[in-house]
Amino acid sequence: LSSSSAASDVYKRQAELVMCYVLAVSGENEEALSRLANLKQRDPTNFNILKSVNEIAILTGQRQLRGANRDDLRQVSTRGLVYTLSSDAAGQWAQGNFAQADRLLDEAFATGQPNKACYLVRLLVLAFGWGDLPAARAFLDQVPAVLLLEDVFIHHATRILLYSGEYDRALATIRKTEREMLQDSRVVMPKGALTGSVHQAGGNLNAALNEWRRALALVDEKLSHDPNNSHWMYWRANLLALLGEPEAARAQKALLDELNDTAVGSRAWAREFRFYLSLGEHDEAVDRIGTLFESELPGLLPREYNNIRSDPFYSELRQDPRIQVILSQFEVKLQQLRAVTP
């Protein structure tokens, strides 16, 4: 009976936490925070409650509450400490502070209890921050097998192997999932889009086209239910370009630009260079890359630099002297980042 009662308490507490998230997302911040405060008062050392306070504090813009709660998380258990370290490391990664992210991750791994975020952020920093593909491939061997079956790790591991020229391993990795849509930790895309890229790099264009057609069918299905979804409009335009349908691709892109009110010279405008390269508009792509790298985007530019430097899709683009100048100049900045001691 006591065991049944304890299980009932857990379910009730979980339901209360879910309601707090619903309230926060709905804009009822005061009610969400009030309920959280009551939960925390009743069980001040519960990791899930403290974690929810932290996440909802972020959602509601309560920086002071988040700071105080982070101290509680760090002190309540090793799990809480690792959670705060990995969250801070993810923030440093997003801002382009890779040395600081490494320091925080080193501390988290030293506890002997790293969480999923520790493995994910370390992989991202190695591959798409520092651009150290050999180190990233080696680190994949340290990631627990159960995590390597999750969409976000399948996606990033496939890209790392693609960028390393290991096309058979990349295909074997992405085939670990039977799902046609990758959806986990900000990775939301049709699997066929990435699988097609691997086939394209390996010289199997027919297989690539088949994958892209299947991906387009999935995207069209999504848009049939949500026709103004900018994410799926983006994928539709890019897949049409890859499939050699320039008029349809440009028409879809025009609708997306109208929806997003994309301004010429903006970051969004500059980041569209891959679309134009898919259309064969080389100079347009170069112009947009030039605009992008003239901006101050410390969290974004290293990722784009590493994509352009290593993705086989950009092999021809890398022969352009204008792109070579951009890449060499940014490599100097990256070397300066490597020299930073946090």
Side-chain angles (χ1 to χ4, degrees):
L1 185 61
S2 60
S3 176
S4 175
S5 176
S8 177
D9 288 342
V10 170
Y11 290 134
K12 286 179 182 178
R13 183 169 60 238
Q14 189 61 35
E16 289 181 84
L17 288 174
V18 169
M19 180 54 66
C20 290
Y21 281 98
V22 171
L23 289 167
V25 171
S26 302
E28 298 184 46
N29 298 350
E30 188 174 338
E31 180 64 20
L33 294 170
S34 175
R35 293 189 182 208
L36 276 173
N38 288 333
L39 281 168
K40 185 176 178 180
Q41 186 175 24
R42 281 155 37 196
D43 196 350
T45 61
N46 184 283
F47 170 78
N48 289 324
I49 292 175
L50 294 173
K51 176 173 174 284
S52 296
V53 172
N54 192 69
E55 292 174 348
I56 291 176
I58 294 172
L59 278 175
T60 57
Q62 301 290 321
R63 296 181 64 181
Q64 187 173 357
L65 172 62
R66 185 192 178 203
N69 187 70
R70 283 175 73 261
D71 291 339
D72 293 339
L73 270 165
R74 292 176 69 91
Q75 295 170 14
V76 72
S77 64
T78 301
R79 186 184 181 191
L81 172 63
V82 170
Y83 171 80
T84 59
L85 289 169
S86 61
S87 296
D88 290 347
Q92 296 295 336
W93 147 253
Q95 296 172 41
N97 299 324
F98 307 135
Q100 291 89 331
D102 279 338
R103 176 181 58 79
L104 291 163
L105 290 170
D106 286 346
E107 188 177 347
F109 276 98
T111 67
Q113 298 181 35
N115 58 16
K116 172 183 174 178
C118 291
Y119 288 102
L120 178 57
V121 177
R122 172 129 288 172
L123 191 64
L124 293 173
V125 170
L126 285 171
F128 309 115
W130 298 129
D132 190 341
L133 293 175
R137 292 198 308 275
F139 183 70
L140 283 172
D141 294 334
Q142 300 177 36
V143 178
V146 66
L147 290 181
L148 290 174
L149 296 176
E150 296 193 15
D151 284 356
V152 66
F153 284 94
I154 287 174
H155 171 262
H156 292 308
T158 299
R159 286 179 63 205
I160 289 166
L161 294 168
L162 168 64
Y163 289 9
S164 301
E166 299 187 43
Y167 305 137
D168 289 340
R169 283 188 65 194
L171 287 173
T173 297
I174 200 166
R175 286 169 178 161
K176 288 179 180 179
T177 177
E178 297 181 358
R179 294 180 293 276
E180 292 302 318
M181 194 69 70
L182 301 178
Q183 190 164 346
D184 178 19
S185 299
R186 297 188 180 181
V187 172
V188 182
M189 63 177 293
K191 180 178 73 173
L194 182 54
T195 309
S197 293
V198 179
H199 281 305
Q200 181 189 42
N204 193 342
L205 185 57
N206 286 333
L209 291 171
N210 287 335
E211 291 290 346
W212 291 333
R213 288 189 192 104
R214 281 197 287 270
L216 180 61
L218 285 172
V219 170
D220 283 342
E221 174 65 20
K222 293 286 187 181
L223 285 169
S224 70
H225 300 291
D226 189 4
N228 291 323
N229 186 300
S230 61
H231 180 76
W232 299 121
M233 292 172 74
Y234 161 85
W235 274 110
R236 187 169 195 274
N238 279 272
L239 287 165
L240 286 167
L242 289 167
L243 287 166
E245 299 184 36
E247 291 185 7
R250 288 192 182 92
Q252 182 65 76
K253 179 67 167 53
L255 291 173
L256 178 60
D257 287 344
E258 182 179 0
L259 179 68
N260 290 338
D261 194 23
T262 304
V264 173
S266 66
R267 178 177 65 176
W269 177 88
R271 292 192 71 190
E272 294 165 348
F273 60 87
R274 187 179 180 110
F275 170 78
Y276 289 97
L277 201 61
S278 298
L279 289 176
E281 298 184 20
H282 183 97
D283 286 340
E284 182 69 24
V286 171
D287 287 345
R288 292 178 185 240
I289 291 171
T291 298
L292 182 64
F293 278 83
E294 288 171 359
S295 60
E296 293 294 330
L297 300 166
L300 172 66
L301 292 183
R303 284 173 264 175
E304 295 291 14
Y305 162 80
N306 284 304
N307 289 334
I308 296 170
R309 188 187 69 158
S310 301
D311 191 336
F313 180 79
Y314 299 116
S315 59
E316 184 178 340
L317 183 73
R318 289 193 288 270
Q319 304 309 309
D320 189 305
R322 296 169 292 179
I323 295 300
Q324 291 174 358
V325 169
I326 290 171
L327 293 180
S328 63
Q329 289 176 341
F330 195 81
E331 174 60 27
V332 172
K333 293 183 179 181
L334 202 56
Q335 289 175 357
Q336 292 170 347
L337 276 178
R338 292 188 186 105
V340 171
T341 301

mmCIF file with all atom_site columns, all heavy atoms in Angstrom, residues 41-60:
data_model
loop_
_atom_site.group_PDB
_atom_site.id
_atom_site.type_symbol
_atom_site.label_atom_id
_atom_site.label_alt_id
_atom_site.label_comp_id
_atom_site.label_asym_id
_atom_site.label_entity_id
_atom_site.label_seq_id
_atom_site.pdbx_PDB_ins_code
_atom_site.Cartn_x
_atom_site.Cartn_y
_atom_site.Cartn_z
_atom_site.occupancy
_atom_site.B_iso_or_equiv
_atom_site.pdbx_formal_charge
_atom_site.auth_seq_id
_atom_site.auth_comp_id
_atom_site.auth_asym_id
_atom_site.auth_atom_id
_atom_site.pdbx_PDB_model_num
ATOM 1   N N   . GLN A 1 41 ? 8.768  24.046 -2.316  1.00 0.00 ? 41 GLN A N   1
ATOM 2   C CA  . GLN A 1 41 ? 8.682  24.152 -0.856  1.00 0.00 ? 41 GLN A CA  1
ATOM 3   C C   . GLN A 1 41 ? 8.354  22.791 -0.246  1.00 0.00 ? 41 GLN A C   1
ATOM 4   O O   . GLN A 1 41 ? 8.888  22.427 0.813   1.00 0.00 ? 41 GLN A O   1
ATOM 5   C CB  . GLN A 1 41 ? 7.613  25.172 -0.472  1.00 0.00 ? 41 GLN A CB  1
ATOM 6   C CG  . GLN A 1 41 ? 7.542  25.449 1.025   1.00 0.00 ? 41 GLN A CG  1
ATOM 7   C CD  . GLN A 1 41 ? 6.559  26.555 1.338   1.00 0.00 ? 41 GLN A CD  1
ATOM 8   O OE1 . GLN A 1 41 ? 5.628  26.822 0.581   1.00 0.00 ? 41 GLN A OE1 1
ATOM 9   N NE2 . GLN A 1 41 ? 6.754  27.216 2.472   1.00 0.00 ? 41 GLN A NE2 1
ATOM 10  N N   . ARG A 1 42 ? 7.514  22.018 -0.917  1.00 0.00 ? 42 ARG A N   1
ATOM 11  C CA  . ARG A 1 42 ? 7.122  20.707 -0.405  1.00 0.00 ? 42 ARG A CA  1
ATOM 12  C C   . ARG A 1 42 ? 8.250  19.676 -0.548  1.00 0.00 ? 42 ARG A C   1
ATOM 13  O O   . ARG A 1 42 ? 8.368  18.744 0.249   1.00 0.00 ? 42 ARG A O   1
ATOM 14  C CB  . ARG A 1 42 ? 5.876  20.208 -1.153  1.00 0.00 ? 42 ARG A CB  1
ATOM 15  C CG  . ARG A 1 42 ? 4.592  20.844 -0.647  1.00 0.00 ? 42 ARG A CG  1
ATOM 16  C CD  . ARG A 1 42 ? 3.468  20.873 -1.665  1.00 0.00 ? 42 ARG A CD  1
ATOM 17  N NE  . ARG A 1 42 ? 3.375  19.716 -2.522  1.00 0.00 ? 42 ARG A NE  1
ATOM 18  C CZ  . ARG A 1 42 ? 2.660  19.716 -3.650  1.00 0.00 ? 42 ARG A CZ  1
ATOM 19  N NH1 . ARG A 1 42 ? 2.001  20.807 -4.025  1.00 0.00 ? 42 ARG A NH1 1
ATOM 20  N NH2 . ARG A 1 42 ? 2.587  18.639 -4.395  1.00 0.00 ? 42 ARG A NH2 1
ATOM 21  N N   . ASP A 1 43 ? 9.079  19.837 -1.602  1.00 0.00 ? 43 ASP A N   1
ATOM 22  C CA  . ASP A 1 43 ? 10.141 18.852 -1.855  1.00 0.00 ? 43 ASP A CA  1
ATOM 23  C C   . ASP A 1 43 ? 11.368 19.585 -2.383  1.00 0.00 ? 43 ASP A C   1
ATOM 24  O O   . ASP A 1 43 ? 11.681 19.546 -3.576  1.00 0.00 ? 43 ASP A O   1
ATOM 25  C CB  . ASP A 1 43 ? 9.635  17.821 -2.868  1.00 0.00 ? 43 ASP A CB  1
ATOM 26  C CG  . ASP A 1 43 ? 10.501 16.568 -2.902  1.00 0.00 ? 43 ASP A CG  1
ATOM 27  O OD1 . ASP A 1 43 ? 11.585 16.583 -2.285  1.00 0.00 ? 43 ASP A OD1 1
ATOM 28  O OD2 . ASP A 1 43 ? 10.105 15.584 -3.560  1.00 0.00 ? 43 ASP A OD2 1
ATOM 29  N N   . PRO A 1 44 ? 12.106 20.273 -1.511  1.00 0.00 ? 44 PRO A N   1
ATOM 30  C CA  . PRO A 1 44 ? 13.173 21.186 -1.944  1.00 0.00 ? 44 PRO A CA  1
ATOM 31  C C   . PRO A 1 44 ? 14.408 20.521 -2.542  1.00 0.00 ? 44 PRO A C   1
ATOM 32  O O   . PRO A 1 44 ? 15.244 21.207 -3.130  1.00 0.00 ? 44 PRO A O   1
ATOM 33  C CB  . PRO A 1 44 ? 13.532 21.932 -0.655  1.00 0.00 ? 44 PRO A CB  1
ATOM 34  C CG  . PRO A 1 44 ? 13.130 21.015 0.444   1.00 0.00 ? 44 PRO A CG  1
ATOM 35  C CD  . PRO A 1 44 ? 11.916 20.292 -0.049  1.00 0.00 ? 44 PRO A CD  1
ATOM 36  N N   . THR A 1 45 ? 14.536 19.208 -2.404  1.00 0.00 ? 45 THR A N   1
ATOM 37  C CA  . THR A 1 45 ? 15.724 18.538 -2.947  1.00 0.00 ? 45 THR A CA  1
ATOM 38  C C   . THR A 1 45 ? 15.394 17.631 -4.133  1.00 0.00 ? 45 THR A C   1
ATOM 39  O O   . THR A 1 45 ? 16.226 16.834 -4.560  1.00 0.00 ? 45 THR A O   1
ATOM 40  C CB  . THR A 1 45 ? 16.421 17.706 -1.851  1.00 0.00 ? 45 THR A CB  1
ATOM 41  O OG1 . THR A 1 45 ? 15.522 16.698 -1.383  1.00 0.00 ? 45 THR A OG1 1
ATOM 42  C CG2 . THR A 1 45 ? 16.869 18.591 -0.697  1.00 0.00 ? 45 THR A CG2 1
ATOM 43  N N   . ASN A 1 46 ? 14.198 17.755 -4.667  1.00 0.00 ? 46 ASN A N   1
ATOM 44  C CA  . ASN A 1 46 ? 13.790 16.915 -5.791  1.00 0.00 ? 46 ASN A CA  1
ATOM 45  C C   . ASN A 1 46 ? 14.402 17.448 -7.086  1.00 0.00 ? 46 ASN A C   1
ATOM 46  O O   . ASN A 1 46 ? 14.138 18.579 -7.489  1.00 0.00 ? 46 ASN A O   1
ATOM 47  C CB  . ASN A 1 46 ? 12.264 16.875 -5.894  1.00 0.00 ? 46 ASN A CB  1
ATOM 48  C CG  . ASN A 1 46 ? 11.786 15.940 -6.984  1.00 0.00 ? 46 ASN A CG  1
ATOM 49  O OD1 . ASN A 1 46 ? 11.839 16.273 -8.157  1.00 0.00 ? 46 ASN A OD1 1
ATOM 50  N ND2 . ASN A 1 46 ? 11.280 14.789 -6.575  1.00 0.00 ? 46 ASN A ND2 1
ATOM 51  N N   . PHE A 1 47 ? 15.205 16.626 -7.749  1.00 0.00 ? 47 PHE A N   1
ATOM 52  C CA  . PHE A 1 47 ? 15.914 17.075 -8.953  1.00 0.00 ? 47 PHE A CA  1
ATOM 53  C C   . PHE A 1 47 ? 14.943 17.523 -10.049 1.00 0.00 ? 47 PHE A C   1
ATOM 54  O O   . PHE A 1 47 ? 15.159 18.560 -10.683 1.00 0.00 ? 47 PHE A O   1
ATOM 55  C CB  . PHE A 1 47 ? 16.808 15.957 -9.491  1.00 0.00 ? 47 PHE A CB  1
ATOM 56  C CG  . PHE A 1 47 ? 17.375 16.258 -10.849 1.00 0.00 ? 47 PHE A CG  1
ATOM 57  C CD1 . PHE A 1 47 ? 18.457 17.120 -10.995 1.00 0.00 ? 47 PHE A CD1 1
ATOM 58  C CD2 . PHE A 1 47 ? 16.816 15.695 -11.989 1.00 0.00 ? 47 PHE A CD2 1
ATOM 59  C CE1 . PHE A 1 47 ? 18.968 17.417 -12.253 1.00 0.00 ? 47 PHE A CE1 1
ATOM 60  C CE2 . PHE A 1 47 ? 17.325 15.976 -13.251 1.00 0.00 ? 47 PHE A CE2 1
ATOM 61  C CZ  . PHE A 1 47 ? 18.408 16.844 -13.376 1.00 0.00 ? 47 PHE A CZ  1
ATOM 62  N N   . ASN A 1 48 ? 13.907 16.751 -10.301 1.00 0.00 ? 48 ASN A N   1
ATOM 63  C CA  . ASN A 1 48 ? 12.979 17.084 -11.389 1.00 0.00 ? 48 ASN A CA  1
ATOM 64  C C   . ASN A 1 48 ? 12.270 18.412 -11.158 1.00 0.00 ? 48 ASN A C   1
ATOM 65  O O   . ASN A 1 48 ? 12.038 19.174 -12.098 1.00 0.00 ? 48 ASN A O   1
ATOM 66  C CB  . ASN A 1 48 ? 11.963 15.963 -11.591 1.00 0.00 ? 48 ASN A CB  1
ATOM 67  C CG  . ASN A 1 48 ? 12.582 14.730 -12.208 1.00 0.00 ? 48 ASN A CG  1
ATOM 68  O OD1 . ASN A 1 48 ? 13.468 14.835 -13.056 1.00 0.00 ? 48 ASN A OD1 1
ATOM 69  N ND2 . ASN A 1 48 ? 12.139 13.557 -11.774 1.00 0.00 ? 48 ASN A ND2 1
ATOM 70  N N   . ILE A 1 49 ? 11.947 18.691 -9.899  1.00 0.00 ? 49 ILE A N   1
ATOM 71  C CA  . ILE A 1 49 ? 11.316 19.972 -9.579  1.00 0.00 ? 49 ILE A CA  1
ATOM 72  C C   . ILE A 1 49 ? 12.302 21.114 -9.799  1.00 0.00 ? 49 ILE A C   1
ATOM 73  O O   . ILE A 1 49 ? 11.984 22.128 -10.429 1.00 0.00 ? 49 ILE A O   1
ATOM 74  C CB  . ILE A 1 49 ? 10.778 19.975 -8.137  1.00 0.00 ? 49 ILE A CB  1
ATOM 75  C CG1 . ILE A 1 49 ? 9.609  18.999 -8.004  1.00 0.00 ? 49 ILE A CG1 1
ATOM 76  C CG2 . ILE A 1 49 ? 10.345 21.390 -7.727  1.00 0.00 ? 49 ILE A CG2 1
ATOM 77  C CD1 . ILE A 1 49 ? 9.102  18.848 -6.577  1.00 0.00 ? 49 ILE A CD1 1
ATOM 78  N N   . LEU A 1 50 ? 13.519 20.954 -9.298  1.00 0.00 ? 50 LEU A N   1
ATOM 79  C CA  . LEU A 1 50 ? 14.534 21.999 -9.454  1.00 0.00 ? 50 LEU A CA  1
ATOM 80  C C   . LEU A 1 50 ? 14.866 22.222 -10.934 1.00 0.00 ? 50 LEU A C   1
ATOM 81  O O   . LEU A 1 50 ? 15.047 23.358 -11.383 1.00 0.00 ? 50 LEU A O   1
ATOM 82  C CB  . LEU A 1 50 ? 15.795 21.630 -8.684  1.00 0.00 ? 50 LEU A CB  1
ATOM 83  C CG  . LEU A 1 50 ? 15.647 21.587 -7.156  1.00 0.00 ? 50 LEU A CG  1
ATOM 84  C CD1 . LEU A 1 50 ? 16.918 21.032 -6.520  1.00 0.00 ? 50 LEU A CD1 1
ATOM 85  C CD2 . LEU A 1 50 ? 15.346 22.971 -6.599  1.00 0.00 ? 50 LEU A CD2 1
ATOM 86  N N   . LYS A 1 51 ? 14.936 21.141 -11.703 1.00 0.00 ? 51 LYS A N   1
ATOM 87  C CA  . LYS A 1 51 ? 15.196 21.248 -13.136 1.00 0.00 ? 51 LYS A CA  1
ATOM 88  C C   . LYS A 1 51 ? 14.060 22.003 -13.826 1.00 0.00 ? 51 LYS A C   1
ATOM 89  O O   . LYS A 1 51 ? 14.289 22.854 -14.694 1.00 0.00 ? 51 LYS A O   1
ATOM 90  C CB  . LYS A 1 51 ? 15.342 19.851 -13.731 1.00 0.00 ? 51 LYS A CB  1
ATOM 91  C CG  . LYS A 1 51 ? 15.535 19.793 -15.247 1.00 0.00 ? 51 LYS A CG  1
ATOM 92  C CD  . LYS A 1 51 ? 15.837 18.359 -15.658 1.00 0.00 ? 51 LYS A CD  1
ATOM 93  C CE  . LYS A 1 51 ? 15.901 18.203 -17.172 1.00 0.00 ? 51 LYS A CE  1
ATOM 94  N NZ  . LYS A 1 51 ? 14.566 18.193 -17.793 1.00 0.00 ? 51 LYS A NZ  1
ATOM 95  N N   . SER A 1 52 ? 12.836 21.719 -13.432 1.00 0.00 ? 52 SER A N   1
ATOM 96  C CA  . SER A 1 52 ? 11.682 22.407 -14.024 1.00 0.00 ? 52 SER A CA  1
ATOM 97  C C   . SER A 1 52 ? 11.677 23.885 -13.673 1.00 0.00 ? 52 SER A C   1
ATOM 98  O O   . SER A 1 52 ? 11.336 24.729 -14.509 1.00 0.00 ? 52 SER A O   1
ATOM 99  C CB  . SER A 1 52 ? 10.381 21.748 -13.549 1.00 0.00 ? 52 SER A CB  1
ATOM 100 O OG  . SER A 1 52 ? 10.294 20.406 -13.996 1.00 0.00 ? 52 SER A OG  1
ATOM 101 N N   . VAL A 1 53 ? 12.054 24.206 -12.431 1.00 0.00 ? 53 VAL A N   1
ATOM 102 C CA  . VAL A 1 53 ? 12.150 25.616 -12.039 1.00 0.00 ? 53 VAL A CA  1
ATOM 103 C C   . VAL A 1 53 ? 13.152 26.335 -12.937 1.00 0.00 ? 53 VAL A C   1
ATOM 104 O O   . VAL A 1 53 ? 12.909 27.450 -13.424 1.00 0.00 ? 53 VAL A O   1
ATOM 105 C CB  . VAL A 1 53 ? 12.564 25.745 -10.557 1.00 0.00 ? 53 VAL A CB  1
ATOM 106 C CG1 . VAL A 1 53 ? 12.853 27.206 -10.225 1.00 0.00 ? 53 VAL A CG1 1
ATOM 107 C CG2 . VAL A 1 53 ? 11.470 25.207 -9.642  1.00 0.00 ? 53 VAL A CG2 1
ATOM 108 N N   . ASN A 1 54 ? 14.281 25.691 -13.183 1.00 0.00 ? 54 ASN A N   1
ATOM 109 C CA  . ASN A 1 54 ? 15.322 26.289 -14.021 1.00 0.00 ? 54 ASN A CA  1
ATOM 110 C C   . ASN A 1 54 ? 14.814 26.530 -15.443 1.00 0.00 ? 54 ASN A C   1
ATOM 111 O O   . ASN A 1 54 ? 14.992 27.606 -16.023 1.00 0.00 ? 54 ASN A O   1
ATOM 112 C CB  . ASN A 1 54 ? 16.537 25.365 -14.053 1.00 0.00 ? 54 ASN A CB  1
ATOM 113 C CG  . ASN A 1 54 ? 17.754 26.022 -14.660 1.00 0.00 ? 54 ASN A CG  1
ATOM 114 O OD1 . ASN A 1 54 ? 18.330 26.926 -14.079 1.00 0.00 ? 54 ASN A OD1 1
ATOM 115 N ND2 . ASN A 1 54 ? 18.151 25.575 -15.840 1.00 0.00 ? 54 ASN A ND2 1
ATOM 116 N N   . GLU A 1 55 ? 14.168 25.525 -16.012 1.00 0.00 ? 55 GLU A N   1
ATOM 117 C CA  . GLU A 1 55 ? 13.701 25.623 -17.401 1.00 0.00 ? 55 GLU A CA  1
ATOM 118 C C   . GLU A 1 55 ? 12.573 26.643 -17.540 1.00 0.00 ? 55 GLU A C   1
ATOM 119 O O   . GLU A 1 55 ? 12.527 27.411 -18.511 1.00 0.00 ? 55 GLU A O   1
ATOM 120 C CB  . GLU A 1 55 ? 13.257 24.249 -17.892 1.00 0.00 ? 55 GLU A CB  1
ATOM 121 C CG  . GLU A 1 55 ? 14.420 23.278 -18.030 1.00 0.00 ? 55 GLU A CG  1
ATOM 122 C CD  . GLU A 1 55 ? 13.997 21.868 -18.387 1.00 0.00 ? 55 GLU A CD  1
ATOM 123 O OE1 . GLU A 1 55 ? 12.782 21.581 -18.303 1.00 0.00 ? 55 GLU A OE1 1
ATOM 124 O OE2 . GLU A 1 55 ? 14.875 21.049 -18.715 1.00 0.00 ? 55 GLU A OE2 1
ATOM 125 N N   . ILE A 1 56 ? 11.676 26.676 -16.576 1.00 0.00 ? 56 ILE A N   1
ATOM 126 C CA  . ILE A 1 56 ? 10.562 27.623 -16.657 1.00 0.00 ? 56 ILE A CA  1
ATOM 127 C C   . ILE A 1 56 ? 11.035 29.037 -16.339 1.00 0.00 ? 56 ILE A C   1
ATOM 128 O O   . ILE A 1 56 ? 10.508 30.017 -16.868 1.00 0.00 ? 56 ILE A O   1
ATOM 129 C CB  . ILE A 1 56 ? 9.405  27.167 -15.749 1.00 0.00 ? 56 ILE A CB  1
ATOM 130 C CG1 . ILE A 1 56 ? 8.783  25.893 -16.339 1.00 0.00 ? 56 ILE A CG1 1
ATOM 131 C CG2 . ILE A 1 56 ? 8.346  28.262 -15.592 1.00 0.00 ? 56 ILE A CG2 1
ATOM 132 C CD1 . ILE A 1 56 ? 7.698  25.271 -15.501 1.00 0.00 ? 56 ILE A CD1 1
ATOM 133 N N   . ALA A 1 57 ? 12.073 29.153 -15.522 1.00 0.00 ? 57 ALA A N   1
ATOM 134 C CA  . ALA A 1 57 ? 12.664 30.474 -15.284 1.00 0.00 ? 57 ALA A CA  1
ATOM 135 C C   . ALA A 1 57 ? 13.227 31.040 -16.590 1.00 0.00 ? 57 ALA A C   1
ATOM 136 O O   . ALA A 1 57 ? 13.121 32.240 -16.869 1.00 0.00 ? 57 ALA A O   1
ATOM 137 C CB  . ALA A 1 57 ? 13.756 30.383 -14.226 1.00 0.00 ? 57 ALA A CB  1
ATOM 138 N N   . ILE A 1 58 ? 13.810 30.166 -17.405 1.00 0.00 ? 58 ILE A N   1
ATOM 139 C CA  . ILE A 1 58 ? 14.320 30.595 -18.711 1.00 0.00 ? 58 ILE A CA  1
ATOM 140 C C   . ILE A 1 58 ? 13.151 31.000 -19.617 1.00 0.00 ? 58 ILE A C   1
ATOM 141 O O   . ILE A 1 58 ? 13.194 32.039 -20.282 1.00 0.00 ? 58 ILE A O   1
ATOM 142 C CB  . ILE A 1 58 ? 15.144 29.465 -19.366 1.00 0.00 ? 58 ILE A CB  1
ATOM 143 C CG1 . ILE A 1 58 ? 16.413 29.196 -18.548 1.00 0.00 ? 58 ILE A CG1 1
ATOM 144 C CG2 . ILE A 1 58 ? 15.512 29.817 -20.807 1.00 0.00 ? 58 ILE A CG2 1
ATOM 145 C CD1 . ILE A 1 58 ? 17.183 27.974 -18.999 1.00 0.00 ? 58 ILE A CD1 1
ATOM 146 N N   . LEU A 1 59 ? 12.112 30.178 -19.644 1.00 0.00 ? 59 LEU A N   1
ATOM 147 C CA  . LEU A 1 59 ? 10.940 30.458 -20.479 1.00 0.00 ? 59 LEU A CA  1
ATOM 148 C C   . LEU A 1 59 ? 10.293 31.791 -20.135 1.00 0.00 ? 59 LEU A C   1
ATOM 149 O O   . LEU A 1 59 ? 9.833  32.523 -21.025 1.00 0.00 ? 59 LEU A O   1
ATOM 150 C CB  . LEU A 1 59 ? 9.898  29.342 -20.312 1.00 0.00 ? 59 LEU A CB  1
ATOM 151 C CG  . LEU A 1 59 ? 10.081 28.060 -21.112 1.00 0.00 ? 59 LEU A CG  1
ATOM 152 C CD1 . LEU A 1 59 ? 9.023  27.044 -20.703 1.00 0.00 ? 59 LEU A CD1 1
ATOM 153 C CD2 . LEU A 1 59 ? 9.991  28.333 -22.603 1.00 0.00 ? 59 LEU A CD2 1
ATOM 154 N N   . THR A 1 60 ? 10.282 32.109 -18.858 1.00 0.00 ? 60 THR A N   1
ATOM 155 C CA  . THR A 1 60 ? 9.574  33.311 -18.397 1.00 0.00 ? 60 THR A CA  1
ATOM 156 C C   . THR A 1 60 ? 10.489 34.503 -18.183 1.00 0.00 ? 60 THR A C   1
ATOM 157 O O   . THR A 1 60 ? 10.051 35.558 -17.734 1.00 0.00 ? 60 THR A O   1
ATOM 158 C CB  . THR A 1 60 ? 8.817  33.005 -17.090 1.00 0.00 ? 60 THR A CB  1
ATOM 159 O OG1 . THR A 1 60 ? 9.748  32.521 -16.101 1.00 0.00 ? 60 THR A OG1 1
ATOM 160 C CG2 . THR A 1 60 ? 7.738  31.950 -17.310 1.00 0.00 ? 60 THR A CG2 1
#
